[in-house]
Amino acid sequence: MDTHDWSIRAKLTALVVTPVAALVALWIFTTTLTLGPALDLLASRTFLEDLGRPGGAAVLELQHERRLSAVQLAGTTSLPALAEQRRRTDSAVAELRRRIGAERLRDAGGDLLGDRLDRLAAALDALPTGRALIDRRQVDRGDANALYTGVIEMTFQAFHAIAHGPEPELTRQALAIINLGRARELLSETDALVAGAITDGRFAGGEHLRLAQTVGNERFLAETAVADLPAEDRTAYQGLLTGEEFVRLRAMQQTLLRADPSARPPVDGRAWLTSYEAVRQQLHDFEVRQGDALAERTVPVAVTILVRLAAAGVLGLLAVVASILVALRVGRTLVRRLTGVRAAALEMAEHRLPDVVARLRRGEQVDVAREAPPLEYGADEIGDVGRAFNEVRRTAVSAAVDEVTLRRGLNEVFLNLARRSQGLVHRQLALLDGMERRTEDPDELADLFRVDHLATRLRRHAEDLVILAGAVPGRGWRQPVAVLDVVRGAVSEVEAYDRVDVGELPPAGVEGRAVADVTHLLAELIENATAFSAPDTRVQIVGQQVPKGYVVEITDRGLGMSPGAVEEANRRLTDPPDFDPADSARLGLFVVARLAARHGVLVTLRAEQLGGLTAVVLVPADLITDEPPGPPVPVARPSVPVSRLGAPIRPRPARRTRERPDQTVLPFAPTRTSTVQTAPDGDGLPRRVRRRGPAARPRSQAPEAPTPRSPEEVRRQMSALQAGTARGRREGGTLHPLPPDAAEPAATDGPWAAEPPPSPAEPAAAPESPTASERDA
């Protein structure tokens, strides 16, 4: 039996119940073992009433019948007295049969008594057959004597079965009384032999020898039985032996023993019968008195045994009850204390310690002494376990405090590094902005745009560190920004921006406080879509306004994710876990979850049946407003340089083939610098225009008078301006690549909508010197 997996309560119960059950069984066994003899003693009255007295009466009648049967067999005629005696014998035998057949006597006795009673009943059944043989004179006196002696012997054997009791003294006295009865039975057998010999005039063959044996046995049994009687009973019996009738009967016995066996018995039959009846009656009365006295003496002995049994039983029962109570009390105490230790351990492991860690991560102060109070469980081994667990709890809480402190310090390091990187990136973007403004060479400007795009991506990665550290990035807007501009800004921060197709996006705006985070969130999802899909596939972005807000769907045609991975990712997006530095493979997913939780944005990943994955972003309605009429106005946070946060969209060099006509590109002079103005076409996108910078002329020099332009030059300039404006309007709603034969106006750029830089294989048009008409235009 394996008990390793048993509970403490089950083990203690087994430990307590087993000895208590053994004690109860031993108490029951001892009580039963003692109660049996006491009940036997109390049943002695039953034995006397149901077997002793009816058996003694039947023996007496059988003895009389045996004598008369011997006399009848010795004579020549039937005796009327024999028939009368047989009726008395049958009456006594019938009463004996009724008593020995009752369940009361058999239940009071044992198996031995039951066997003896069965043998007695069989002997009584053979009595009628023997009588018939006697009446037909088919048996002699010896056989008749043996018939009755056998029945009487069965009766005395039944008496022996009830004589054995729990008290040796009482048993010895009972056996002595039975032996006295046997001695009286031998005396009766002697009477039957003498009566037959007197009637016949002589002893039959072997009867004289039988007479001698019977007399000797009778005297021996009497002497042996009297020796076991109490002193006063022995004195009383000795008084019987010295009586006149007893002395006369003994003298006649001696005369018969010394007489010639073949001669006539030398005693008078009447004198013999008179002496025998007197002695028999005295012996019978003595036996009855001894039996009654013995029955009376068994009652106090039985009561004494029952009293001792009751005392022992009550004491044993009290001991059993005390053992059970002590076992239950100790067991319950042990179970309660051990259960308390277990509950404290589970409470610490499942509730208190995680709550302490969560509070520490929220920045709350934690008192180790208060969070890990000592557990008092006594001074025994369980108390030692409780004190050891106190140390374990205190160490665990201290370790949690140290771990969270270390994590907080690591976050501070992340945040410090991120802030420094942000500062450097913003300074770099500001420097690049100045360089772009001063550069007139299209190839150099294209390279600067590429570097600008890399710096924009570096800025996003620096913001990732800020988000991982639990802080808020520095970028922000006071006014709402169009959803289209937010999506463009997210696309501009992705490396493979040229694989992203922006589809239909209904007009709407995003509140300024969430523009930076939503842009960052979309950029992370778009970058995942491009990174986990083939280079020759496209990433589609569409959106629609719903009652709960604005939905943006980003769909790729990559390998996708397994259902279990999608479910786990959605669980992380819904309930973002604490940042674990060991899980660095999904930093983008963690950043998205943090940003979504900050503004209540719902992000869900959905596997597509044709392959790939769709990221559904639901921006809540409280962050959605009407589309603003103009470009966003940035707001700077004091902790981060803001020279680049609100920079307008930059132009890119016009990509054109060698066959592209020159009039599709706005000419500009090296002496001009660029600035940003709001385009008059109302699409909300700033446009870079050329003007003469202060470096082109000294401050003290007055501006030159405009040079008149020819109508051809004005027409050429206006045609180029009209073509660029039309193209800008067409590109205001999509980022789809233009056909190769389409004219491409000056590009736009900005923190939320940067255009791809020009390809090295497509050099920009060479700058042209402006004329007076161009400057006027």
Side-chain angles (χ1 to χ4, degrees):
M1 181 174 57
D2 188 9
T3 59
H4 292 288
D5 297 332
W6 288 14
S7 64
I8 294 176
R9 186 182 298 275
K11 291 180 180 178
L12 289 177
T13 301
L15 187 64
V16 170
V17 168
T18 301
V20 170
L23 182 61
V24 171
L26 182 61
W27 174 75
I28 295 175
F29 175 75
T30 306
T31 303
T32 305
L33 192 64
T34 309
L35 182 62
L39 295 178
D40 292 340
L41 290 174
L42 293 177
S44 61
R45 179 65 64 179
T46 301
F47 295 147
L48 179 62
E49 296 292 337
D50 293 346
L51 182 60
R53 289 178 179 175
V59 167
L60 182 60
E61 298 300 333
L62 287 171
Q63 289 172 351
H64 289 311
E65 185 176 346
R66 179 176 57 188
R67 186 179 190 279
L68 293 175
S69 298
V71 172
Q72 178 174 316
L73 290 174
T76 57
T77 60
S78 298
L79 296 178
L82 179 59
E84 182 64 26
Q85 180 60 43
R86 285 178 178 177
R87 287 192 294 270
R88 291 195 295 269
T89 302
D90 291 340
S91 178
V93 169
E95 179 64 19
L96 179 61
R97 283 179 179 275
R98 187 180 68 82
R99 294 297 182 93
I100 66 176
E103 295 294 333
R104 175 185 174 185
L105 178 62
R106 292 180 178 269
D107 293 340
D111 295 336
L112 178 61
L113 178 61
D115 182 65
R116 298 287 175 84
L117 293 178
D118 293 337
R119 293 168 63 182
L120 175 59
L124 294 174
D125 292 337
L127 186 60
T129 303
R131 288 174 177 176
L133 294 175
I134 293 172
D135 292 341
R136 292 193 299 267
R137 294 183 180 274
Q138 294 179 352
V139 294
D140 56 8
R141 296 196 301 269
D143 294 335
N145 189 18
L147 171 64
Y148 291 99
T149 302
V151 177
I152 295 172
E153 179 62 25
M154 289 295 101
T155 305
F156 278 104
Q157 288 184 5
F159 291 163
H160 270 281
I162 64 174
H164 299 280
E167 287 294 325
E169 183 66 23
L170 297 178
T171 301
R172 187 168 59 252
Q173 294 177 18
L175 291 176
I177 296 173
I178 293 173
N179 288 331
L180 288 175
R182 281 180 175 275
R184 184 169 56 84
E185 156 60 17
L186 291 174
L187 180 61
S188 176
E189 187 177 352
T190 303
D191 173 64
L193 291 174
V194 172
I198 292 174
T199 302
D200 191 20
R202 63 183 181 85
F203 286 100
E207 286 186 347
H208 192 272
L209 178 61
R210 177 67 178 171
L211 177 63
Q213 293 176 348
T214 302
V215 172
N217 290 336
E218 181 263 331
R219 293 179 180 180
F220 173 77
L221 282 176
E223 292 177 358
T224 305
V226 171
D228 291 332
L229 292 176
E232 60 274 11
D233 295 333
R234 288 197 303 270
T235 303
Y237 187 79
Q238 292 297 329
L240 291 178
L241 294 179
T242 59
E244 180 180 357
E245 291 81 2
F246 210 101
V247 172
R248 186 183 302 116
L249 184 62
R250 285 288 180 92
M252 286 187 288
Q253 286 179 346
Q254 293 296 329
T255 301
L256 290 172
L257 292 176
R258 291 192 297 267
D260 184 7
S262 61
R264 186 178 182 83
V267 294
D268 181 56
R270 187 176 298 276
W272 169 267
L273 181 59
T274 302
S275 299
Y276 166 73
E277 287 294 337
V279 171
R280 183 196 61 77
Q281 189 64 39
Q282 293 177 2
L283 291 177
H284 180 267
D285 294 340
F286 181 80
E287 292 173 14
V288 171
R289 289 195 302 271
Q290 292 298 317
D292 292 339
L294 181 62
E296 293 297 332
R297 286 196 293 270
T298 56
V299 174
V301 175
V303 172
T304 303
I305 294 176
L306 289 177
V307 170
R308 293 201 302 265
L309 175 62
V314 171
L315 292 178
L317 182 61
L318 292 177
V320 170
V321 172
S323 300
I324 294 175
L325 293 178
V326 171
L328 290 177
R329 182 176 181 83
V330 173
R332 291 177 60 184
T333 302
L334 291 176
V335 169
R336 183 173 62 253
R337 296 172 65 192
L338 292 175
T339 304
V341 174
R342 173 179 175 273
L346 292 178
E347 196 272 338
M348 170 57 70
E350 297 177 359
H351 301 286
R352 188 180 293 271
L353 192 58
D355 179 68
V356 169
V357 174
R359 289 162 54 194
L360 288 171
R361 289 178 178 176
R362 291 195 300 266
E364 300 180 11
Q365 296 296 327
V366 175
D367 186 3
V368 177
R370 187 176 63 86
E371 297 298 335
L375 302 178
E376 298 296 337
Y377 290 98
D380 56 356
E381 289 79 0
I382 299 179
D384 294 339
V385 174
R387 286 186 291 273
F389 185 70
N390 288 335
E391 296 299 326
V392 172
R393 293 201 310 167
R394 190 176 295 106
T395 303
V397 174
S398 299
V401 173
D402 295 340
E403 188 269 339
V404 173
T405 302
L406 178 61
R407 185 185 292 268
R408 188 181 301 164
L410 184 62
N411 289 341
E412 294 295 334
V413 172
F414 284 169
L415 185 59
N416 190 10
L417 293 176
R419 294 302 188 193
R420 293 184 181 184
S421 299
Q422 275 190 311
L424 294 176
V425 169
H426 286 298
R427 290 172 58 188
Q428 181 181 5
L429 289 174
L431 181 61
L432 289 173
D433 182 70
M435 295 176 65
E436 292 167 2
R437 295 176 185 275
R438 293 191 303 268
T439 300
E440 302 298 341
D441 186 0
D443 295 332
E444 293 182 0
L445 187 60
D447 293 338
L448 289 176
F449 281 152
R450 292 191 184 94
V451 176
D452 188 281
H453 184 64
L454 293 176
T456 303
R457 291 170 57 200
L458 287 175
R459 179 182 61 190
R460 179 166 61 86
H461 294 321
E463 290 179 354
D464 287 344
L465 290 178
V466 175
I467 296 171
L468 293 178
V472 180
R475 290 189 298 166
W477 276 260
R478 292 190 182 93
Q479 300 298 328
V481 177
V483 173
L484 176 62
D485 295 335
V486 172
V487 174
R488 280 181 171 181
V491 173
S492 69
E493 297 184 4
V494 176
E495 180 179 6
Y497 59 86
D498 53 347
R499 291 175 46 209
V500 180
D501 296 335
V502 179
E504 182 180 359
L505 293 173
V510 179
E511 293 290 345
R513 68 178 186 274
V515 168
D517 291 339
V518 174
T519 303
H520 196 149
L521 184 150
L522 294 175
E524 293 290 346
L525 295 175
I526 296 171
E527 185 171 39
N528 284 341
T530 58
F532 293 99
S533 60
D536 56 347
T537 60
R538 310 292 297 179
V539 175
Q540 302 290 333
I541 301 178
V542 296
Q544 61 178 335
Q545 195 161 3
V546 295
K548 293 184 178 181
Y550 199 97
V551 174
V552 178
E553 295 185 358
I554 303 170
T555 304
D556 65 77
R557 291 294 180 261
L559 298 177
M561 300 170 64
S562 63
V566 172
E567 182 180 358
E568 176 65 19
N570 287 328
R571 186 186 64 80
R572 287 172 174 262
L573 291 172
T574 304
D575 185 14
D578 294 331
F579 172 62
D580 186 5
D583 188 11
S584 60
R586 299 182 181 272
L587 291 181
L589 191 65
F590 179 80
V591 171
V592 170
R594 280 284 185 89
L595 294 174
R598 182 179 300 167
H599 297 285
V601 178
L602 180 61
V603 181
T604 306
L605 301 182
R606 183 183 65 214
E608 296 294 334
Q609 294 182 353
L610 300 179
L613 202 67
T614 297
V616 181
V617 180
L618 174 61
V619 182
D622 58 344
L623 298 181
I624 300 301
T625 183
D626 296 333
E627 187 176 31
V633 179
V635 57
R637 300 182 185 273
S639 59
V640 181
V642 295
S643 61
R644 189 60 181 168
L645 290 180
I649 302 175
R650 303 183 197 87
R652 66 176 182 181
R655 293 183 295 174
R656 65 189 184 100
T657 60
R658 297 184 184 276
E659 293 77 16
R660 182 177 295 177
D662 295 340
Q663 61 267 23
T664 61
V665 180
L666 294 177
F668 59 92
T671 58
R672 293 181 181 180
T673 59
S674 62
T675 184
V676 176
Q677 296 178 0
T678 301
D681 54 4
D683 61 356
L685 299 178
R687 294 289 187 269
R688 188 186 302 276
V689 296
R690 307 289 182 178
R691 70 180 181 182
R692 185 179 305 276
R697 63 178 181 268
R699 292 181 180 271
S700 59
Q701 184 178 356
E704 299 179 356
T707 303
R709 291 178 294 179
S710 64
E712 291 77 13
E713 291 177 346
V714 173
R715 179 178 58 80
R716 185 174 63 254
Q717 295 294 332
M718 294 302 294
S719 298
L721 178 60
Q722 184 179 6
T725 301
R727 183 174 178 83
R729 289 177 177 176
R730 287 196 302 272
E731 292 182 347
T734 180
L735 286 179
H736 290 281
L738 294 175
D741 56 348
E744 185 174 2
T748 60
D749 191 12
W752 60 88
E755 290 288 343
S759 172
E762 299 176 355
E768 300 179 0
S769 299
T771 61
S773 61
E774 292 175 353
R775 290 194 298 269
D776 295 339

